[in-house]
Amino acid sequence: MISNDWLPALKDEFGKEYYKELFSFVKDEYSKHVIYPPSEDIFNALHLTPLQDVRVLILGQDPYHEPGQAHGLSFSVLPGRADTPPSLQNIYKELADDIGCYIPNNGYLKKWADQGVLLLNTVLTVRAHQAASHQGKGWEQFTDAIIRKVNEQDRPIVYMLWGRPAGMKAAMLDNPRHLVLKAPHPSPLSAYRGFFGCRHFSKANEFLKANGAEPIDWQIENV
């Protein structure tokens, strides 16, 4: 369960009918199928990045659905367990072009989470080998509540919304102290339509610095 300052922020959601149905659905799925991420990792994005520390929100869709990949942070995979997925490879390419980061030998993004980058998926679980299999079951309502809580924070925060589903969340974001950045998704299918060259990482750091906040050290190191 969630134990830090996200718990009081989200407590009203746990009593709602949709969340009770979602909880039952997810519990049943874990008992009958292989589900990713492991159940203890579902809320890792919230565990690693308390609400009071959020400076950037990067929104993904649903978790990776192959073995050894998903561990509760959008776009991230555990080191030594899986190759860097294609979308993350393209994120690294943009980071290299934008701010000169070298491309690391792993896809473990915990360093970002520890600095206040909330690596959130709109759906937090998935059945093995079945992309989008847990969409429309209630997770979207729960993660919308998370996004609304970030929108309420009275400090500079940057949103990186990649792809159409993430971009649709921009309508929820009306805090004048925040910066909303939108681009095509970094997947190989769409990265060349404008993700490459979007310069979101330098724009985020320039915005944070201009508003008196610490920039993010985006360099993921080799392991």
Side-chain angles (χ1 to χ4, degrees), residues 22-143:
L22 171 65
F23 184 88
S24 295
F25 166 77
V26 170
K27 186 176 179 183
D28 188 59
E29 284 284 287
Y30 273 96
S31 71
K32 293 177 179 174
H33 305 280
V34 176
I35 304 298
Y36 298 125
S39 58
E40 64 270 19
D41 291 342
I42 292 173
F43 296 116
N44 268 356
L46 304 181
H47 292 153
L48 292 171
T49 311
L51 177 57
Q52 65 184 6
D53 295 341
V54 175
R55 291 187 284 153
V56 177
L57 191 159
I58 298 179
L59 191 62
Q61 294 176 9
D62 58 348
Y64 297 122
H65 50 81
E66 297 301 327
Q69 293 184 316
H71 66 104
L73 303 180
S74 64
F75 296 103
S76 180
V77 292
L78 290 169
R81 298 280 298 279
D83 294 335
T84 302
S87 291
L88 184 53
Q89 290 179 28
N90 286 339
I91 291 169
Y92 284 161
K93 287 177 187 173
E94 176 60 22
L95 269 168
D97 290 343
D98 185 11
I99 55 176
C101 291
Y102 70 81
I103 294 177
N105 63 1
N106 68 95
Y108 189 45
L109 304 182
K110 181 177 179 290
K111 178 182 174 180
W112 293 358
D114 290 340
Q115 296 179 80
V117 180
L118 181 62
L119 294 164
L120 182 68
N121 281 315
T122 54
V123 174
L124 300 187
T125 54
V126 69
R127 199 181 286 187
H129 319 302
Q130 295 183 40
S133 48
H134 285 184
Q135 287 185 5
K137 302 298 184 182
W139 277 129
E140 294 91 343
Q141 194 168 339
F142 182 71
T143 54

Side-chain angles (χ1 to χ4, degrees), residues 144-178:
D144 277 357
I146 294 171
I147 294 167
R148 281 194 294 271
K149 288 300 177 183
V150 175
N151 182 62
E152 292 171 6
Q153 302 305 301
D154 186 29
R155 62 179 184 277
I157 293 174
V158 181
Y159 302 86
M160 297 184 185
L161 306 179
W162 299 332
R164 190 167 169 273
M168 291 169 67
K169 303 297 183 184
M172 302 168 57
L173 305 173
D174 58 4
N175 190 322
R177 295 205 62 192
H178 297 176

